[in-house]
Amino acid sequence: MSSNTPFTLEANPGTDIWRKPPTTNVWNAPISRTSTGLLKKFQSARVTFWASWTERYDQAGLLLVPRSATSTPPTTEAPEKWVKTGIEFYENQPQLSTVGCDRWADWSVSPLTRAVDPEQGVTLEARREGDENGRSVWVYQLVLDKSGEVVERLPLREICWILADEDEEQVLDVSPLVARPERNTTSQLSVEFKEFSVVWD
């Protein structure tokens, strides 16, 4: 699945994807435009986007949800495992963010080291990789030239568990992500996506 046609997604206040002990388990962000395939055939997913970030934890990017091939796609029920990566508005600035959830969620956040032109947006990629130690999904911020070619991949995080069960006919749901966890506002978060593409083998 590949789309270079820009589109806009919106999230209402109080929407999020997050799980924190002992009892927090939120799964109410709007999910759409999902691309689904066998996990073992997943190669990469890329998204380019930007927004007017104003509220703490405003977020957008990619969402990856592995699940059994016999299960139904996640809707209102929180799945057991998931990964989200993109931009999150934290400490009054947009920052690179990746969250992996396997039982409970963890979170890594780092500052944008390259200036972002709002007209061009930021591009994130999750891609299958492997070496002598095994296989994993690496998350990168991509630096593109004016023609859209990748000139540099800035590594953000390696996620190993997501491919652990790929030989058991697992599928993967890949979606663009948008959420606005802040409840004390009445406005929606509007995110312009310039690209959302998924490559399956």
Side-chain angles (χ1 to χ4, degrees), residues 80-100:
E80 180 182 357
K81 301 179 181 183
W82 45 265
V83 172
K84 64 179 181 178
T85 186
I87 293 292
E88 192 154 348
F89 193 66
Y90 182 63
E91 295 187 341
N92 295 313
Q93 59 184 327
Q95 306 211 45
L96 296 165
S97 169
T98 302
V99 179

Side-chain angles (χ1 to χ4, degrees), residues 122-139:
V122 66
T123 300
L124 278 293
E125 181 183 55
R127 60 185 285 137
R128 171 189 294 271
E129 294 190 0
D131 57 22
E132 70 277 11
N133 295 313
R135 59 200 178 201
S136 63
V137 169
W138 264 98
V139 177

Side-chain angles (χ1 to χ4, degrees), residues 162-174:
I162 194 170
L163 298 180
D165 300 320
E166 68 174 358
D167 296 326
E168 299 177 11
E169 295 305 303
Q170 289 248 319
V171 298
L172 184 68
D173 296 323
V174 185

Side-chain angles (χ1 to χ4, degrees), residues 4 13 44 50 54 58 116 147 185 188 196:
N4 290 317
S44 66
W50 198 248
T54 60
D58 276 356
V116 176
S147 64
T185 183
Q188 294 180 318
F196 169 59

Side-chain angles (χ1 to χ4, degrees), residues 55-117:
E55 304 296 337
R56 188 177 65 154
Y57 303 136
D58 276 356
Q59 58 194 260
L62 277 172
L63 174 66
L64 287 74
V65 182
R67 59 182 174 84
S68 167
T70 60
S71 66
T72 57
T75 52
T76 58
E77 294 295 324
E80 180 182 357
K81 301 179 181 183
W82 45 265
V83 172
K84 64 179 181 178
T85 186
I87 293 292
E88 192 154 348
F89 193 66
Y90 182 63
E91 295 187 341
N92 295 313
Q93 59 184 327
Q95 306 211 45
L96 296 165
S97 169
T98 302
V99 179
C101 181
D102 181 358
R103 188 182 179 203
W104 298 105
D106 53 37
W107 181 31
S108 61
V109 61
S110 58
L112 283 161
T113 58
R114 305 293 177 91
V116 176
D117 179 353

